[in-house]
Amino acid sequence: MLGAGRFSLCCVVLCVGWALKAEAAWTYNPNTNREYDFLPPQHWEAAQTAAAAMSPAAHLVTINDGVEMQYVMDLYASAFPGVTSPFLWIGIKNQVTPITGPWQWAEGSGAGGSFTKGTGGDSYTNWNGAEPNSDGPYTMVYLSSPRTGEWNDVPGDRDYRPVVERDAEVPAWVLNPENGQVYTVIANTVHGNSWTNAEALAQRWGGHLVTVNDAAENAWINDESNLDTGGRPYKYIGMHDPTPHDNMWVWASGAGGYWDASAGPGAAGSGTSYTNWRPTEPNSITEDAIMIYASDDTWNDVSKVRDFPAIVEADGVIKWFSIPGPGNRYGIINARMTWENAQTIAQQLGMELADIGSAAENEWIRSTFAAELGEDVGLWIGLNDRLTEGAWEWSSGETLEYTNWASDGQLGGNDLEDYVYLDLESGLWRDRDAVNLFYPLLKTIPEPSSMLLLAAGLFVLANLRRRM
C-alpha cells in the first residue's frame, strides 16, 4: 500500500502528465519546418526540462526573426482565444552577468545566436524599451495590444505558459532524370508510418505519395540505389481506395487515372491507370492501400495502418517564366526542401539557384511567383555564407551587387543560418538554417547551352505527358 506522501507524489505526477497530454497539440509551420506547442503554466527551468523529456525531444522556442515572433503570437491567440494572461516563456536565457549577458537560447549548439546588452549580437531580439534591466535571467514575451510581442527579463520562478518547439522531419529529395520528377522516402516519422500519416507528411513537403505512371517509373522507385528504404521488403505507394469496400482505386495526387477492381482480382479489373498487381491481388475489400514488393515490383492491397516506408513524389520544374527585357527564365521545383538539397538538384540539371541583381528583378520574381504559389511561401535563392561566416556570395558565381535584407534578417543563427530565402509576401530576404524547407528558385540566362535546353525540354515533355 502506498504511503500518504508517495500517494500525493503519484497524484501530482499523474495530474501533470495528464495536463501535458491534454494540451499537446503540435502545430506545424512549413516556413520553419518546426512544430510548436504550449505547455501548462510553470517555471522556466521546469518548462525546459519538460520539453527535453518529450519524445522526440523539444525545447523552449528559439525566435529567429520577426516573422516567427508574429507566428507564435498568432498561434497563441488561436489556441487560447479569450485567455487574458499576457505572458509567455521563450527560450532565451542570461548565462553569466545580469543585464549584459550573454543571452543565449535553450536550444543550444549556437542556434539562434546570442545577445549582449551594449554590444548587441547576432540574435534576433525584440526587447521592450530599456529591457533587459536585470529583473531576472529569463525572458518572457509580452502579448501587448497591438500584438507586438515585446520581451522582458524576469525571474524564472513565475508560472508563465511556455512555448516549445521541435524539428520536423527533413526530406531528402532525389531527381529522376527519366521523367524530371523528384522523390523522397518517408522511412520513420514521429507520427507513425500509416498510409494516412505518410500522405499528410508528403503534402507538407509539396507532394503526395507517389503516382506510378508506367513500368519504368515503377521499377525506378523500387530500386534501393535510387530511393533507400533501408532494405525494407514493402513500401507504400499513392494508390488507395478512399471509400472503403467500393473497389474504386485512385491516386492520392488526383492524377494518374483510376482502377476499378469490381470486375475481379488482378488483370480482370479495368480503368485508366497503370497497375502492377501481384497475381490474385487485390483480394480483400477491407484493405484500402497498396504496398509494392521490393523483391519484384508487384503490388498488394494492405491496410492503411501498417508500418511501412512510403515513397513520395513531387513535380519537378512546373513552369518557366521569362522576365521582360533581358530574357532570363525562372522556374521552381514544386517541392519544399533544404537549401543544400535544392542546390544539388539544380546542379544535376546543369543550373544554379537563382541570383538576383536588382530591385526590379526582385519585385518581378516576388509578384510572378506569389501569383503562382500564394504569398505565404518562401523561395530559396543562391545567396549563402556556408563557406565563410558573413561572406555572402551567390552559388552561381555572380558578383553580389544588390541585397534586400529584412530588418530582422542576416542576424539570427550565427554560423548556423547560412542560406537565404525570398519571402513572397514582402520580397525581403532572410537567412535560415539547414532544416528549413522552401521551394527552390532556378534561373537560366539567354541562349543557354545545349545541356540546359535539353534539361528544360525534358521537363516540359515530362510534364506535358503527366497532364495529358
Side-chain angles (χ1 to χ4, degrees):
M1 184 174 177
L2 288 174
R6 293 180 63 190
F7 179 79
S8 298
L9 176 61
C10 288
C11 287
V12 169
V13 170
L14 287 172
C15 288
V16 170
W18 178 87
L20 290 175
K21 181 178 180 181
E23 298 200 27
W26 293 103
T27 301
Y28 177 68
N29 181 354
N31 289 328
T32 62
N33 197 39
R34 290 178 170 91
E35 295 178 318
Y36 300 78
D37 194 13
F38 300 95
L39 299 184
Q42 57 194 286
H43 296 180
W44 193 99
E45 292 289 351
Q48 176 59 15
T49 299
M54 291 177 166
S55 181
H59 54 82
L60 285 171
V61 67
T62 302
I63 305 293
N64 290 281
D65 52 42
V67 173
E68 188 172 14
M69 185 72 258
Q70 187 62 52
Y71 175 86
V72 167
M73 291 189 296
D74 292 344
L75 189 63
Y76 177 82
S78 175
F80 302 100
V83 175
T84 58
S85 174
F87 307 127
L88 295 173
W89 285 128
I90 60 174
I92 197 166
K93 175 184 177 182
N94 188 340
Q95 301 294 321
V96 184
T97 307
I99 307 180
T100 58
W103 294 78
Q104 296 175 323
W105 293 93
E107 183 176 354
S109 301
S114 62
F115 166 81
T116 301
K117 187 163 185 175
T119 59
D122 55 9
S123 175
Y124 165 79
T125 61
N126 194 33
W127 296 107
N128 176 268
E131 304 293 346
N133 61 5
S134 78
D135 286 343
Y138 306 98
T139 302
M140 61 83 170
V141 171
Y142 286 109
L143 294 180
S144 58
S145 181
R147 302 177 67 83
T148 52
E150 298 96 339
W151 301 0
N152 185 19
D153 60 327
V154 294
D157 59 352
R158 301 182 181 182
D159 288 331
Y160 297 147
R161 189 177 295 278
V163 189
V164 295
E165 70 174 346
R166 64 186 182 188
D167 288 345
E169 292 92 346
V170 179
W173 295 96
V174 177
L175 174 70
N176 180 352
E178 298 300 319
N179 63 9
Q181 302 293 96
V182 292
Y183 302 79
T184 190
V185 172
I186 300 174
N188 296 288
T189 83
V190 299
H191 311 289
N193 266 19
S194 70
W195 188 98
T196 301
N197 286 339
E199 171 60 16
L201 183 56
Q203 290 183 31
R204 281 187 181 184
W205 296 338
H208 290 279
L209 293 184
V210 60
T211 298
V212 184
N213 290 282
D214 51 44
E217 185 177 18
N218 194 58
W220 191 92
I221 64 169
N222 203 33
D223 187 336
E224 287 286 303
S225 65
N226 297 323
L227 297 172
D228 183 8
T229 66
R232 298 279 294 275
Y234 318 117
K235 59 202 80 171
Y236 282 125
I237 59 175
M239 183 173 268
H240 70 131
D241 181 2
T243 305
H245 316 323
D246 74 351
N247 290 316
M248 186 63 68
W249 295 78
V250 296
W251 295 99
S253 66
Y258 71 94
W259 191 80
D260 183 357
S262 61
S270 63
T272 61
S273 175
Y274 166 80
T275 61
N276 193 37
W277 294 107
R278 177 163 284 208
T280 74
E281 300 292 345
N283 60 6
S284 175
I285 62 172
T286 65
E287 295 176 327
D288 50 3
I290 294 179
M291 71 175 190
I292 183 171
Y293 282 92
S295 58
D296 61 4
D297 301 341
T298 58
W299 302 359
N300 182 26
D301 57 332
V302 293
S303 168
K304 285 185 175 179
V305 300
R306 302 290 294 273
D307 181 15
F308 295 147
I311 307 299
V312 178
E313 177 184 24
D315 289 335
V317 179
I318 58 172
K319 188 184 294 187
W320 289 99
F321 296 86
S322 296
I323 189 171
N328 298 332
R329 296 195 310 151
Y330 304 79
I332 59 161
I333 298 172
N334 197 33
R336 292 179 181 270
M337 60 184 67
T338 66
W339 191 97
E340 295 284 357
N341 196 177
Q343 176 69 355
T344 296
I345 291 177
Q347 291 180 341
Q348 288 173 346
L349 296 170
M351 306 178 196
E352 295 283 346
L353 293 174
D355 55 70
I356 301 174
S358 68
E361 184 179 14
N362 193 76
E363 173 54 24
W364 181 87
I365 291 170
R366 187 208 66 76
S367 61
T368 299
F369 288 98
E372 189 73 14
L373 298 173
E375 291 188 339
D376 189 26
V377 172
L379 302 180
W380 284 128
I381 57 178
L383 195 62
N384 68 91
D385 70 342
R386 58 182 176 155
L387 297 181
T388 303
E389 180 62 26
W392 296 95
E393 59 184 4
W394 292 111
S395 59
S396 65
E398 289 293 317
T399 302
L400 178 61
E401 297 179 343
Y402 165 79
T403 62
N404 195 35
W405 293 110
S407 59
D408 57 5
Q410 200 185 355
L411 288 172
N414 198 356
D415 60 351
L416 299 180
E417 294 195 337
D418 294 335
Y419 314 105
V420 178
Y421 81 96
L422 185 157
D423 174 31
L424 288 183
E425 181 176 10
S426 64
L428 298 173
W429 304 358
R430 291 183 172 88
D431 55 339
R432 283 288 173 88
D433 61 31
V435 302
N436 285 170
L437 307 179
F438 295 107
Y439 294 100
L441 178 66
L442 307 182
K443 176 180 179 179
T444 67
I445 60 175
E447 299 180 0
S449 68
S450 59
M451 180 181 294
L452 295 185
L453 283 172
L454 176 60
L458 286 173
F459 274 115
V460 171
L461 289 174
N463 282 288
L464 281 175
R465 287 199 303 269
R466 292 181 64 83
R467 290 164 172 77
M468 288 179 64

